[in-house]
Amino acid sequence: MKLKTTLISAAMLFAGVMSASAADAKYIFYYIGDGMGMGPVLAAETYNRMELQNEQPLLMMQMPVVGWCMTYSASKPITDSSAAGTALSTGYKTKNYMLGMAPDTTAVTSIAKMFKDEGYGVGVVTSVAPDDATPGAFYAHVPNRSMYYEIDCQMAENGYDFMAGAGLRGLKDKQGNATDVLERFAKNNVQIVRGPAEIADIKSEKVLLLNNEGTGANNIGYTVDSISGILTLPQIASTCLAHLEKTSPDKFFMMVEGGNIDHALHANDGGAAIIEILNFNEALEVAFDFYRQHPDETLIVVTADHDTGGLALSHPNPVIPDQLKYVKYQKISKEEFSAYCKGLLKSRMNYTWDDMKDYLTENLGLFTHVPVSAQNEENLKQLFDRTFELRNTEDQKTLYANFNAFAVDVFRVFNDACGLKYTTTSHSGNPVPVFAVGVGSDLFKGFNNNSNLPGLIRKAAGK
């Protein structure tokens, strides 16, 4: 974490709260960590404190206003991201898989659209696909979140100043034929910019920033994988803010989603999730830098759409109280490691257990820095033989990926060593935290429902 984060003073944080009655918020930042329940937040904060040796907590945990939020949908006690995103963006509970609609399929309006119609600049950005559930909830109205062509068409017509994410998923129909999505963006004078190298070429008032062509559309890439030349969430957030300051300097609304947090938690990839939350924290610094300059006009709200994975910290090894230190040896995500294993199977190359042990040592620290019991090593070796020699294993299927069976067990061993325990590869019904600072932040105290937050944001803005 950057030094400037550690220099935040309590007096400055509280100044924004005390100014709530003096003015309305003109600059509104809405940060949503997808799947970021309190368990993942605490895991990231523990790593931040014990391993990174930061004296100050994560930035969101320094905010003076803290609350809780229920996340259930209109159809289930466990929400999906589309229903949760709809509640967070419009104030309406809806059924799982529905996006920007009430349960009866009536379209409901997001606060982003309301602000845009009132003359605010609007930015909606994410580290996953911009036509995914959470960003889509701020502009789209469809009965099913998988209607990517329809969502992309509505994105092209929403009139927002800035949108960003990994890639568009409605560019081809079910038969693999090209759709007219790109033509629709061009017709609406939206400049499509790809990758960090093209950011300097932004000229239009309406921009869609995407990752480089040829990269996956689902997410921009995990931070832990250190992929060169791709977009990062802090870079996306800073580019969006710079654009809004240019096109709408008097007032704007900006939603920033840390979508990769959810992807890592679905994978039960504890180390990747922690690193994604630290990355989200760095993106949050973009908003807080702005708040420092405009404390009497700015509101920042941080929350999650739901909890994913039911993650908890445990201490199975009392001899090693700081087990999260092992996260620093992780250099590859579970998703990337699974792809590596599948590549080995496809190549049919002669790859031995000793080769795999060397790879696991280099990329996860196993067998050297991270202890592996004799029983776990024997179990891994037997599974390695079944997977790569006998080819007699099945993949684990989660929401965003199918994981090679050997990769699943390797990360089980790694998670156990780190003291990271999951209850599910899906969402949980746990409440999520709400953090706030700035004008109107007092409104977010206490125990809320996700459908209350948009109205509170509008109230803070004097609406």
Side-chain angles (χ1 to χ4, degrees):
M1 192 178 297
K2 297 177 182 178
L3 178 61
K4 62 185 178 185
T5 302
T6 67
L7 299 178
I8 298 171
S9 70
M12 184 171 195
L13 283 168
F14 279 101
V17 180
M18 299 304 294
S19 67
S21 61
D24 297 325
K26 294 168 55 180
Y27 307 110
I28 301 158
F29 296 88
Y30 200 9
Y31 274 66
I32 301 173
D34 198 335
M36 192 182 71
M38 202 61 212
V41 171
L42 286 174
E45 170 51 30
T46 302
Y47 183 76
N48 172 67
R49 182 182 73 253
M50 297 189 71
E51 179 56 36
L52 301 184
Q53 298 291 302
N54 278 316
E55 295 180 1
Q56 296 294 327
L58 297 178
L59 185 54
M60 67 187 92
M61 299 181 78
Q62 297 183 54
M63 293 183 175
V65 174
V66 181
W68 289 97
C69 191
M70 295 293 288
T71 66
Y72 62 88
S73 74
S75 60
K76 300 284 185 180
I78 311 298
T79 190
D80 83 319
S81 289
S82 56
T86 299
L88 289 173
S89 64
T90 71
Y92 287 87
K93 293 276 188 180
T94 194
K95 297 178 182 178
N96 286 4
Y97 307 111
M98 297 181 72
L99 196 58
M101 287 183 165
D104 63 357
T105 71
T106 301
V108 288
T109 306
S110 78
I111 56 173
K113 179 66 164 61
M114 293 178 187
F115 281 126
K116 186 62 184 175
D117 290 345
E118 293 163 352
Y120 287 67
V122 171
V124 174
V125 303
T126 181
S127 60
V128 294
D131 52 20
D132 205 10
T134 301
F138 285 84
Y139 62 84
H141 312 280
V142 291
N144 193 295
R145 60 184 286 183
S146 64
M147 299 171 66
Y148 301 127
Y149 171 73
E150 291 80 0
I151 295 171
D152 286 350
C153 290
Q154 293 177 43
M155 188 195 315
E157 298 167 0
N158 65 28
Y160 295 171
D161 303 74
F162 195 95
M163 292 200 64
L168 302 176
R169 295 177 291 184
L171 298 180
K172 292 186 178 180
D173 61 23
K174 292 181 179 179
Q175 289 71 43
N177 301 313
T179 64
D180 63 345
V181 163
L182 295 180
E183 288 83 353
R184 287 174 178 265
F185 278 98
K187 181 180 178 181
N188 286 280
N189 300 313
V190 179
Q191 181 186 3
I192 296 180
V193 178
R194 289 194 173 272
E198 293 188 10
I199 288 175
D201 298 329
I202 291 176
K203 297 180 177 64
S204 175
E205 291 190 355
K206 292 186 288 185
V207 174
L208 173 62
L209 173 62
L210 301 175
N211 220 354
N212 300 316
E213 289 194 72
T215 57
N218 280 343
N219 63 64
I220 59 174
Y222 290 106
T223 306
V224 72
D225 288 324
S226 302
I227 306 168
S228 63
I230 63 169
L231 293 170
T232 67
L233 187 61
Q235 184 179 51
I236 290 170
S238 62
T239 304
C240 179
L241 176 56
H243 188 75
L244 292 177
E245 287 183 287
K246 180 180 178 181
T247 60
S248 186
D250 295 330
K251 53 184 180 180
F252 58 73
F253 169 85
M254 180 169 154
M255 192 287 288
V256 179
E257 184 203 20
N260 274 354
I261 300 169
D262 183 60
H263 286 216
L265 291 168
H266 274 290
N268 287 180
D269 185 349
I274 287 171
I275 299 306
E276 287 302 327
I277 293 173
L278 295 177
N279 186 256
F280 180 75
N281 187 69
E282 187 177 343
L284 182 56
E285 289 181 355
V286 172
F288 207 89
D289 281 347
F290 184 90
Y291 167 76
R292 286 188 180 94
Q293 300 171 46
H294 308 275
D296 297 327
E297 301 172 299
T298 303
L299 169 66
I300 304 174
V301 178
V302 182
T303 190
D305 53 350
H306 52 73
D307 173 73
T308 299
L311 176 65
L313 286 176
S314 66
H315 292 285
N317 189 342
V319 179
I320 308 174
D322 56 340
Q323 289 166 272
L324 278 181
K325 67 182 180 181
Y326 298 140
V327 169
K328 67 184 176 184
Y329 299 111
Q330 181 175 346
K331 300 177 183 177
I332 190 169
S333 66
K334 181 177 177 180
E335 195 167 317
E336 189 67 22
F337 178 59
S338 179
Y340 175 77
C341 291
K342 290 179 180 181
L344 291 176
L345 285 166
K346 187 176 181 179
S347 71
R348 294 185 175 272
M349 67 181 292
N350 183 20
Y351 194 84
T352 69
W353 170 241
D354 286 337
D355 293 330
M356 179 58 75
K357 282 187 68 175
D358 288 343
Y359 183 91
L360 295 176
T361 295
E362 180 181 353
N363 291 282
L364 289 170
L366 294 176
F367 307 107
T368 52
H369 301 292
V370 182
V372 179
S373 69
Q375 185 60 59
N376 272 333
E377 181 172 355
E378 179 59 27
N379 291 342
L380 285 175
K381 184 179 184 304
Q382 290 181 14
L383 185 55
F384 175 86
D385 292 340
R386 292 202 307 273
T387 302
F388 295 95
E389 293 184 17
L390 300 178
R391 298 173 181 267
N392 185 26
T393 57
E394 294 184 3
D395 286 356
Q396 178 194 61
K397 296 182 179 181
T398 66
L399 182 62
Y400 293 107
N402 293 341
F403 292 101
N404 170 273
F406 181 73
V408 171
D409 214 42
V410 164
F411 273 79
R412 176 192 62 79
V413 171
F414 185 79
N415 282 336
D416 285 350
C418 295
L420 297 169
K421 297 292 186 181
Y422 289 89
T423 60
T424 180
T425 59
S426 189
H427 301 173
S428 83
N430 293 336
V432 297
V434 180
F435 306 99
V437 64
V439 180
S441 57
D442 256 348
L443 296 167
F444 298 88
K445 287 182 178 178
F447 200 80
N448 270 300
N449 214 308
N450 55 6
S451 55
N452 297 142
L453 299 191
L456 296 178
I457 289 173
R458 294 278 294 167
K459 186 175 181 180
K463 307 299 180 184

